[in-house]
């Protein structure tokens, strides 16, 4: 057997394509069985084959084999994909859909003509803002002032948002900048509390340093309570997940090299992130850099040590010392933890380890909430429809706290509570652990 799909009826993939275009060997794994269809949020919502995983793969094959020229319809159907990778979990043939959609988007970005403003916006976001600590700080400070002054309330009350179309519709989704930002902790080392069990290097993200500074602090504290010395490598940078998802794989590679150098020299036993979306990309650096002679081996070493923080804590066994938390809790699986990293049990194990917590399973917790990076901004109508269904299920559980494992999901679910909820609190699992330790008054460093 040469590993190719014996049912394939497609001619050979064209050999003059972009080097990052979907690989024939990946496309050929799809046997068009359709077992993934019901797992796909966009197919469930629209019932359209071309907006299903099988349909999207079929379109990629048509483009790859030169049967169809890529055009607006191809771009639209691929663009409407959330990249949630739920289809990957459902697929019995092992189709690496996440890799395929990233590759297809990379080819599209490289070949589709862009307007000047599109080019400028992409250049600013992907090349300038996300990789730069200085610009992120300035951006965060501006947002903080916008919120802290009465400007946001004036804008929201003035009716001007209604005139701004999509921008006005998505403005309420904008998370709050959390001063003081987490940037000042980068480069620091936090001691373990109690006997030291491990030295851990924490990836603090890029946007999270501004919008989830308290979550990052909670993560460090929980690791300390669990006997970890926490180092936050000075030279770390944005993981490149947003770049890779948006078809900017070369930029993602540059960021990956910087992170690999920063973390491999940290002397840590494990590298952790609290962001499932980042974690999925950080764990796939070896795929991004497989053809880089200087980083192929180093990226595999890096990936071997990379863990989601919930995965890591479940592995080492969570330390006692938590207070009784008599609350009902449900858990929304973050797509990039469940489908991207195949981690289902760890968050549930940790929630069940908190004394008093009553965990209620969320129906369809494996289906995306509509967040998906910037998807809830770009495709706000589809995202809103998915969120409405999600919140109907959340309300069925009657849980007081809705937990998840990714900041992007938290933003979307908070908007969901606002629009359709029952005043549930939305927390990262690590924040509930942190509350339990703090309530018990477990000694702090
Ligand atoms: S990644 Fe998600 S939205 Fe995209 S095809 Fe797969 S299941 Fe559907
Ligand atoms: S992606 Fe997998 S499940 Fe979906 S049609 Fe192809 S082989 Fe079947």
């Amino acid at each position: 057997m040469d590993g190719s799909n014996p049912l394939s009826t497609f001619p050979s993939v064209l050999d003059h394509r972009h080097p990052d275009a979907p690989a024939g060997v990946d496309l050929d794994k799809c046997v068009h069985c359709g077992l993934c269809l019901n797992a796909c949020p966009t197919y469930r919502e629209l019932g359209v084959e071309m907006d299903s995983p099988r349909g999207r793969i079929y379109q990629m094959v048509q483009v790859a084999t030169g049967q169809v020229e890529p055009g607006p319809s191809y771009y639209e159907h691929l663009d409407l994909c959330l990249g949630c990778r739920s289809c990957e979990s459902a697929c019995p043939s092992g189709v690496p859909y996440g890799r395929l959609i990233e590759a297809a988007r990379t080819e599209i970005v490289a070949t589709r003509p862009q307007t000047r403003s599109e080019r400028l916006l992409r250049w600013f976001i992907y090349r300038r803002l996300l990789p730069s600590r200085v610009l992120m700080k300035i951006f965060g400070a501006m947002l903080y002032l916008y919120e802290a002054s009465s400007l946001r309330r004036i804008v929201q009350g003035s009716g001007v948002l209604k005139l701004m179309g999509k921008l006005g519709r998505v403005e309420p989704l904008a998370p709050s900048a959390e001063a003081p930002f987490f940037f000042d902790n980068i480069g620091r080392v936090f001691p373990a509390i109690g006997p030291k069990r491990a030295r851990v290097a924490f990836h603090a993200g890029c946007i999270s340093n501004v919008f989830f500074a308290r979550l990052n602090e909670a993560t460090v504290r929980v690791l300390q309570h669990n006997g970890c010395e926490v180092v936050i490598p000075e030279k770390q940078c944005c993981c490149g997940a947003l770049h890779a998802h948006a078809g900017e794989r070369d930029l993602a590679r540059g960021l990956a090299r910087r992170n690999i150098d920063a973390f491999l020299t940290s002397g840590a036993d494990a590298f952790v992130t609290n962001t499932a979306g980042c974690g999925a990309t950080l764990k796939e650096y070896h795929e991004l850099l497989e053809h880089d002679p200087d980083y192929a081996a180093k990226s595999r070493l890096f990936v071997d040590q990379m863990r989601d923080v919930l995965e890591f804590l479940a592995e080492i066994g969570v330390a006692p010392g938590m207070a009784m938390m008599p609350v009902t809790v449900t858990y929304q699986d973050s797509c990039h933890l469940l489908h991207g990293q195949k981690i289902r049990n760890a968050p549930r194990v940790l929630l069940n380890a908190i004394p008093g917590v009553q965990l209620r399973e969320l129906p369809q917790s494996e289906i995306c909430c509509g967040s998906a990076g910037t998807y809830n901004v770009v495709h706000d109508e589809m995202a809103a429809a998915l969120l409405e269904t999600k919140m109907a299920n959340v309300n069925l559980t009657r849980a007081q706290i809705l937990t998840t494992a990714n900041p992007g999901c938290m933003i979307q679910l908070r908007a969901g509570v606002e629009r359709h909820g029952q005043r549930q609190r939305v927390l990262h699992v690590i924040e509930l652990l942190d509350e339990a330790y703090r309530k018990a008054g477990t000694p702090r460093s």
Side-chain angles (χ1 to χ4, degrees), residues 337-407:
L337 195 64
L338 179 64
H339 306 303
Q341 301 178 54
K342 315 296 177 216
I343 296 173
R344 185 180 189 281
N345 288 338
R348 290 169 171 85
V349 166
L350 297 180
L351 287 169
N352 280 320
I354 303 173
V357 161
Q358 193 194 330
L359 179 60
R360 296 181 179 166
E361 278 299 336
L362 173 62
Q364 297 177 7
S365 68
E366 73 288 359
I367 298 287
C368 182
C369 63
S371 168
T374 53
Y375 190 95
N376 54 358
V377 174
V378 181
H379 296 290
D380 59 312
E381 285 175 15
M382 174 62 78
L386 295 172
L387 185 57
E388 191 173 346
T389 309
K390 179 63 60 192
M391 290 310 301
N393 282 319
V394 170
N395 291 341
L396 281 179
T397 68
R398 303 232 163 252
Q400 297 160 291
I401 300 180
L402 168 55
T403 57
T404 190
N406 187 56

Side-chain angles (χ1 to χ4, degrees), residues 23 100 122 151 221 403:
L100 282 174
R122 290 185 73 91
L151 197 55
R221 279 194 298 270
T403 57

